[in-house]
Amino acid sequence: MDLANQLIFVGAALVLISIGASLISSRFGMPLLLVFLLLGLAAGPEGIGGIIFADINSAALIGSLSLAVILFDGGLKTKGENFRVALWPATALATVGVLITAGLTGLIGWLLFDQLGLMAGLLLGAILSPTDAAAVFFLLGNRGLVLKERVGATLEIESGSNDPMAVFLTIGLVEILTANMAGGSGHSIGTAELAGIFLLQMGLGAGFGLGAGHVLALAINRLRLATGLYPLLALAGALFTFGITAVLGGSGFLAVYLMGLMLGNRKLQGFHNIMRFHDGLTWLAQIVMFLMLGLMVLPSGLITIAPLALVLAALLMLVVRPIAVWVSLLPFGFSKAEQAFISWVGLRGAVPMVLALFPTAAGLEVGPLYFGIAFWVVVASLTIQGWTITPLARWLKLEIPSKSGPIDRIEISLPELPDHEIVGYAIDHDSGLVDRSPRLPPWAQPLLLVRNKALVAPAPGFRLAVGDTLYLLAPPWKLPDLDAVFGGRPAEDAAFFGAFTLNGEARLAGLGDVYGVPVPADALKDTLAGYIDRQFNRAAVVGDVVFLGNVALIVRERDAEGHVTKVGLDLDGLKRRAPKVPFLPDLQTLIKATRRITHRRRPGPSTEDRDDDPLF
């Protein structure tokens, strides 16, 4: 009993210290996940805590459980409309990108470390291939960083969906190496069998995730339970789906992510209680996972491999990931700045360290080496990449102004007002509503105004002041419209979207007449929305910029179908051009280069037919 009490005391103390450390890390901008990892290191056998934890199987169980919780929460928070703009790019990164990363990293690992053969090097590449959902969701969601829609959506979907491919590669290569270690007496897996296993895992993962998500959503909406049971029902359903999918040979990680996605984009009773519960649970999962991994690290055993592991980390960040991103996104028309940023946000976190436990659990002699290399790669990634994400996004002109959402949401259950909530909005000093009366839509009813810690009944024509909090009754599906009313920041909006706002259906010809904008002759009959879409060969997203001479046209709003409805105009738009970044050529440049090479090889080209443009 004393041991149990001591474990409870030590575990709770570590969590409390981690929560306290978050206050310090936020002040210095230090990646919080790195703080959790270092705290575990300090509490470990060679740190001041002296805690010994070396149970590989328990660590793999805790790591898998924590990742399942994190992926489920990530699915809950992923908007369904993100898939409309980023499904195929993210899918390419989660499949082709993982394969390229695993292959190139594996070859580099084979060349750097004498202990690894070619197949063992490829296993190292598979372990290091996935970006980490916990790191990406945390760093993008908790730093107030709002990215251009397609960039942010691509990163979120990729990080939540690339784990299954990495897990599949890791387990497959571990089984091959284990069979080889047995002197060929073990069962050797062929290519056809591997392909069958992959299809089975992905098929079962997708099927169980989508199906169970639909069933659980129906259960939550139809069952009449105590309020506190709905979050537990969602959690139990997610873990049940994860477990049964894995037992039947499917990808539990893919299933639990898709299940969260299904629930997060449905109308659910008790939804906000579910979200609050899982938000706290996800924090706990991240703390426990990184603390546990830190406890397993022996610094004395990592010193000798540090130089080569850091070289591998640098090549992974600066060479391998950019190549994988370039190849994966080549057909999708991402700009060089966007590709460079997506490359840099290839964060490695807990997933590679959890996968690095598999070789040791399988009895491979070089198992501890994988964990040590993964530790240095994760530390380098969280330190260098995690610390520089926000300034890089701003330098590359990929950040867009944020809109403040409600600070509080209270669900109500009244038969007379089904599907309504009480929502509260805070008025900051930079709000455009200070000393003004808000123009509220007819379906939003003001209920209560909190001013100077006192309750005030909103009178007709009331004006808002700095520090006020206004509570309204409104349907939850119309909250984006209220966010637009209360979340606007006039100074930020004007700085980003320009001083003028135009209708997307306005003609370019009129733009040239009124503002003197140089409009191409073949575009005079185009609408702003049509011209912008044509420049990208795709549907434009908020924040996309098109230049006409020195003038910038900035996509400001889109409708539910993705059509541009509002366009910002900046007459001094040159400052908006993203800086040139050293990156690989885009698809159009490659096509042009191929045509030029083919043209040169034709016999007897005339001088007039030569293309004197540079290759890239």
Side-chain angles (χ1 to χ4, degrees):
M1 192 65 182
D2 287 341
L3 177 60
N5 291 332
Q6 291 173 8
L7 290 175
I8 293 172
F9 165 72
V10 172
L14 287 174
V15 173
L16 287 173
I17 293 172
S18 300
I19 294 172
S22 68
L23 301 175
I24 300 174
S25 69
S26 60
R27 179 166 298 181
F28 296 98
M30 188 176 187
L32 191 53
L33 302 182
L34 178 62
V35 173
F36 298 155
L37 183 64
L38 295 179
L39 283 175
L41 188 66
E46 296 183 358
I48 58 177
I51 300 174
I52 299 176
F53 180 78
D55 189 338
I56 299 297
N57 292 324
S58 296
L61 173 62
I62 294 172
S64 297
L65 186 62
S66 298
L67 287 175
V69 170
I70 291 168
L71 286 170
F72 180 63
D73 183 69
L76 283 173
K77 294 177 179 177
T78 300
K79 297 179 180 179
E81 55 263 30
N82 286 353
F83 280 76
R84 186 177 62 246
V85 298
L87 173 60
W88 296 116
T91 301
L93 285 170
T95 52
V96 176
V98 168
L99 288 172
I100 294 174
T101 302
L104 293 179
T105 305
L107 291 175
I108 295 172
W110 172 49
L111 295 174
L112 287 177
F113 296 94
D114 296 334
Q115 304 96 312
L116 300 180
L118 177 58
M119 197 61 68
L122 293 176
L123 174 58
L124 175 62
I127 289 170
L128 298 177
S129 62
T131 60
D132 189 75
V136 173
F137 289 148
F138 174 78
L139 288 172
L140 294 183
N142 291 275
R143 291 215 172 159
L145 180 64
V146 181
L147 297 170
K148 289 175 63 174
E149 185 179 9
R150 200 163 71 130
V151 175
T154 298
L155 287 168
E156 289 186 4
I157 297 173
E158 179 211 4
S159 65
S161 58
N162 65 7
D163 291 345
M165 174 65 81
V167 172
F168 163 74
L169 292 175
T170 300
I171 293 176
L173 288 167
V174 165
E175 292 186 2
I176 291 174
L177 288 170
T178 303
N180 292 338
M181 185 178 64
S185 60
H187 174 62
S188 180
I189 301 178
T191 303
E193 187 176 355
L194 277 175
I197 294 173
F198 174 75
L199 293 176
L200 177 67
Q201 287 192 356
M202 297 303 109
L204 287 178
F208 273 93
L210 296 175
H214 178 70
V215 172
L216 186 58
L218 292 177
I220 291 174
N221 283 332
R222 294 185 179 182
L223 295 177
R224 292 295 176 258
L225 304 173
T227 304
L229 289 179
Y230 289 111
L232 293 179
L233 175 60
L235 175 63
L239 295 182
F240 175 80
T241 303
F242 175 82
I244 193 172
T245 305
V247 168
L248 295 176
S251 172
F253 294 110
L254 179 61
V256 79
Y257 175 72
L258 292 177
M259 187 178 187
L261 183 70
M262 289 287 291
L263 291 179
N265 290 276
R266 299 280 291 271
K267 293 181 182 179
L268 301 177
Q269 61 176 335
F271 178 73
H272 302 300
N273 288 331
I274 293 174
M275 293 297 291
R276 290 190 185 100
F277 174 81
H278 282 91
D279 189 50
L281 190 64
T282 300
W283 274 105
L284 180 62
Q286 291 178 141
I287 291 173
V288 169
M289 182 167 53
F290 278 88
L291 284 176
M292 176 199 70
L293 294 172
L295 288 174
M296 301 185 68
V297 174
L298 296 175
S300 61
L302 299 179
I303 302 301
T304 56
I305 67 170
L308 291 180
L310 292 176
V311 169
L312 177 63
L315 292 174
L316 178 59
M317 288 186 287
L318 300 175
V319 179
V320 175
R321 169 72 177 179
I323 291 175
V325 168
W326 174 67
V327 173
S328 301
L329 299 184
L330 197 58
F332 301 107
F334 282 77
S335 69
K336 290 187 177 183
E338 291 170 340
Q339 292 182 61
F341 184 78
I342 292 172
S343 298
W344 193 245
V345 190
L347 291 161
R348 267 61 192 178
V351 178
M353 294 185 69
V354 171
L355 293 181
L357 299 173
F358 290 7
T360 302
L364 296 180
E365 293 182 2
V366 291
L369 177 64
Y370 290 117
F371 188 80
I373 295 172
F375 170 79
W376 286 116
V377 170
V378 168
V379 169
S381 177
L382 291 179
T383 303
I384 300 173
Q385 294 174 303
W387 229 314
T388 56
I389 283 178
T390 300
L392 180 65
R394 291 170 181 166
W395 182 64
L396 293 174
K397 314 293 186 185
L398 297 178
E399 185 183 27
I400 64 175
S402 62
K403 291 187 181 295
S404 300
I407 62 170
D408 197 11
R409 297 177 67 172
I410 305 169
E411 291 181 299
I412 58 175
S413 298
L414 296 176
E416 298 82 3
L417 289 173
D419 299 328
H420 273 67
E421 295 179 359
I422 298 175
V423 294
Y425 286 90
I427 308 302
D428 299 325
H429 69 279
D430 56 349
S431 172
L433 296 176
V434 173
D435 198 28
R436 292 177 56 190
S437 178
R439 299 180 61 182
L440 298 175
W443 43 261
Q445 177 65 42
L447 299 179
L448 187 66
L449 183 64
V450 180
R451 176 174 292 171
N452 298 326
K453 299 182 180 180
L455 304 181
V456 180
F462 69 95
R463 291 177 176 270
L464 295 170
V466 176
D468 285 354
T469 302
L470 180 64
Y471 287 88
L472 308 99
L473 182 68
W477 62 89
K478 291 191 175 183
L479 289 190
D481 295 330
L482 277 183
D483 292 347
V485 173
F486 289 94
R489 298 289 183 267
E492 292 182 14
D493 286 355
F496 185 85
F497 292 110
F500 305 98
T501 300
L502 307 174
N503 192 301
E505 296 302 314
R507 297 286 178 181
L508 276 178
L511 188 67
D513 295 337
V514 176
Y515 297 101
V517 177
V519 179
D522 60 348
L524 289 173
K525 295 182 179 180
D526 286 349
T527 63
L528 293 178
Y531 180 76
I532 291 173
D533 282 344
R534 192 153 53 88
Q535 304 313 302
F536 293 102
N537 295 314
R538 59 169 171 81
V541 297
V542 174
D544 276 340
V545 182
V546 171
F547 294 94
L548 291 172
N550 295 338
V551 176
L553 302 175
I554 310 103
V555 178
R556 188 183 184 100
E557 291 181 11
R558 299 187 310 141
D559 60 19
E561 287 73 35
H563 302 134
V564 176
T565 57
K566 299 292 183 183
V567 178
L569 176 67
D570 189 349
L571 298 177
D572 183 21
L574 290 181
K575 62 182 181 296
R576 300 176 178 276
R577 291 190 181 276
K580 292 183 178 181
V581 292
F583 215 82
L584 297 165
D586 56 28
L587 184 60
Q588 291 181 345
T589 305
L590 286 176
I591 293 173
K592 182 178 178 180
T594 303
R595 287 176 177 173
R596 181 184 178 190
I597 293 172
T598 304
H599 182 73
R600 282 181 171 177
R601 289 179 177 176
R602 292 174 183 170
S606 64
T607 306
E608 295 81 24
D609 292 336
R610 289 179 182 172
D611 184 357
D612 294 325
D613 290 340
L615 186 60
F616 296 133

